[in-house]
Amino acid sequence: MSSTPDSSSVIDRDTSRPAPLFVGDHLALDFLNSIASPKGTTVEWLRNGQDLIDWLSSAGILTPAEGIRLAAQWDLTELDAVAREAVELREWFRRVVVRAKQSGPAALTSDDLAHINTVLARSVSVRRIEPTEDGAGRFSIVERRLWTHPRELLAPIGTAIADLISNGDFKLIRRCENPPCTVWFYDRTKGHRRRWCSQSTCGNRAKVAAFRLRKRLAR
């Protein structure tokens, strides 16, 4: 799989670009799918800092209000630099996933762990006591990220990557079986027989292709 798409095949950030894909059943895999070819054309959802904020908002890591505030508050040049770091982190992690699929999590090196821990160390958060959302007069301790610098945007992604490596079953991490599709997912289905990123897209395309092949062979 190419880590750097041909710019001529990437849809620009405009109304023609579809919404980000969240079919991976794990945030770390959804992060891998922030560049994908769901319909044969490569789409990049992290082309700049605003894209990164938009993706994090879509993923539920930032609230819509936080996304608007941080985009207005932070320097766009710094945000763009963090977006480039996010792409580098994503493509590094893609190589890690492929390696762990082939040889198991033991294939991760001390350098791999240091890379993840460096990202995790960017997290800046505080614990607060707040009323529970049910309005029942109860309280709970919650952890809130402070978002003091654009570099912190990668910390929750690092947490997701660390969780997948620590707790995931790499035998259940798969790539869509439709050859042009590049989407990864965690197979949580009963019997672990999931084959497609989406039954409504790649699954249906595979059925149509199989039907046409049967018709040709029957002639």
Side-chain angles (χ1 to χ4, degrees):
M1 184 186 310
S2 173
S3 62
T4 305
D6 180 352
S7 61
S8 64
S9 67
V10 178
I11 298 177
D12 201 359
R13 188 178 186 274
D14 56 28
T15 56
S16 68
R17 188 172 60 174
L21 297 175
F22 292 99
V23 296
D25 278 323
H26 194 287
L27 180 62
L29 298 179
D30 287 330
F31 179 57
L32 282 188
N33 297 333
S34 62
I35 186 171
S37 303
K39 295 184 178 180
T41 301
T42 301
V43 186
E44 170 66 86
W45 282 280
L46 300 180
R47 298 193 70 177
N48 52 45
Q50 182 62 59
D51 272 6
L52 177 61
I53 285 181
D54 291 345
W55 188 89
L56 292 169
S57 298
S58 296
I61 294 171
L62 296 174
T63 66
E66 284 176 326
I68 293 171
R69 176 174 62 82
L70 296 179
Q73 172 182 322
W74 284 338
D75 180 75
L76 289 180
T77 302
E78 289 186 333
L79 276 173
D80 288 346
V82 174
R84 290 191 293 271
E85 285 189 64
V87 170
E88 292 173 1
L89 176 65
R90 182 187 66 197
E91 300 313 318
W92 165 83
F93 180 52
R94 193 183 310 280
R95 294 189 293 272
V96 168
V97 169
V98 171
R99 192 162 13 109
K101 282 284 294 176
Q102 293 171 342
S103 307
L108 271 75
T109 67
S110 58
D111 287 343
D112 292 328
L113 300 183
H115 193 158
I116 299 168
N117 287 330
T118 298
V119 177
L120 292 173
R122 296 183 178 191
S123 180
V124 180
S125 61
V126 294
R127 290 186 174 183
R128 299 164 52 91
I129 184 168
E130 296 182 357
T132 56
E133 294 181 356
D134 57 14
R138 296 189 294 255
F139 300 88
S140 63
I141 297 174
V142 297
E143 189 166 350
R144 301 291 186 193
R145 296 186 185 274
L146 295 183
W147 306 123
T148 57
H149 191 280
R151 289 176 300 179
E152 294 171 36
L153 293 173
L154 299 189
I157 296 172
T159 300
I161 290 173
D163 175 74
L164 188 68
I165 290 172
S166 302
N167 303 312
D169 183 344
F170 277 81
K171 293 189 294 294
L172 301 180
I173 296 172
R174 296 171 184 159
R175 191 173 139 174
C176 179
E177 290 186 17
N178 182 20
C181 185
T182 62
V183 172
W184 290 83
F185 58 84
Y186 197 106
D187 184 3
R188 301 183 190 274
T189 61
K190 187 176 181 180
H192 305 304
R193 296 179 179 177
R194 181 177 172 185
R195 300 176 60 193
W196 319 110
C197 62
S198 169
Q199 189 62 41
S200 62
T201 53
C202 287
N204 283 344
R205 289 193 196 105
K207 289 180 181 178
V208 170
F211 174 74
R212 289 174 177 168
L213 177 61
R214 287 195 301 270
K215 286 190 68 176
R216 285 200 302 270
L217 294 176
R219 290 173 182 170

